[in-house]
Amino acid sequence: MRLLPPIRLRLGEPDWERYGDQWWTFDEADLTRMPARQLVEIERELKGALGLTILGAMASYRAGEITGTLALLWLARRMSGVVEPLAEFEPLVMLADAELLDGGDADPPASTSSASPTSEEG
């Protein structure tokens, strides 16, 4: 799977009081450089709350699925230092904003590539 460019994500206004109005960045390249034990902890949380692996969450986001959007919002916050149980993270994901940092459009994420989310690219 080819890595997406960094994505800026922000929750919609109804969630600002609970989660804040700031933008968070999800960078797949940064995620791949995390220590193994941190990745295992993140994957356990994803599996427990959403039944997804890390790669499954990335593919789900690319496919435009709500589960993937929820996972990436949580991951972006987690990677910025906000540690909260995924099971308690309940934003209105349909109102969230997302944009690729290279200026492209991350919504829907599947439009960023003509390749299938599960395809292997070299």
Side-chain angles (χ1 to χ4, degrees):
M1 174 177 354
R2 177 180 290 175
L3 298 178
L4 288 177
I7 303 166
R8 281 182 3 135
L9 301 152
R10 181 174 69 172
L11 295 168
E13 189 173 349
D15 287 318
W16 290 357
E17 185 175 326
R18 183 172 179 186
Y19 299 110
D21 66 349
Q22 66 271 29
W23 289 89
W24 292 283
T25 300
F26 176 74
D27 188 342
E28 290 180 352
D30 286 349
L31 184 69
T32 64
R33 290 188 286 270
M34 291 178 80
R37 294 202 186 276
Q38 286 181 7
L39 291 172
V40 167
E41 181 181 325
I42 287 169
E43 190 154 88
R44 280 187 188 143
E45 185 116 14
L46 285 168
K47 281 185 177 180
L50 302 175
L52 293 173
T53 63
I54 291 172
L55 290 177
M58 292 162 54
S60 179
Y61 180 77
R62 283 174 169 77
E65 298 172 356
I66 298 293
T67 308
T69 303
L70 177 63
L72 259 61
L73 282 163
W74 178 80
L75 280 166
R77 290 168 48 86
R78 173 83 177 238
M79 291 171 70
S80 71
V82 178
V83 179
E84 64 189 320
L86 178 53
E88 296 174 13
F89 184 54
E90 297 182 351
L92 302 173
V93 297
M94 295 294 286
L95 301 179
D97 295 313
E99 59 189 35
L100 294 176
L101 286 180
D102 71 357
D105 181 14
D107 187 20
S111 69
T112 62
S113 170
S114 61
S116 160
T118 57
S119 70
E120 293 291 327
E121 294 183 285

